[in-house]
Amino acid sequence: MNEKIYKTMSGTGVSSLIVGIVVLVTGVTAGVMMIINGARLLRRKSEILI
């Protein structure tokens, strides 16, 4: 019985860790893309404004 609980807990822990890493990488990637796009917009601000 205890072994079954231990296996379930370790499986859940591993899957939570993987999901956390994926969310972290996705968040960092989205943040970098937003910074790059914002910098492009600021650089071309004079071309956009009439």
Side-chain angles (χ1 to χ4, degrees), residues 21-35:
I21 290 170
V22 169
V23 168
L24 178 68
V25 169
T26 304
V28 168
T29 303
V32 169
M33 289 174 61
M34 290 176 71
I35 290 171

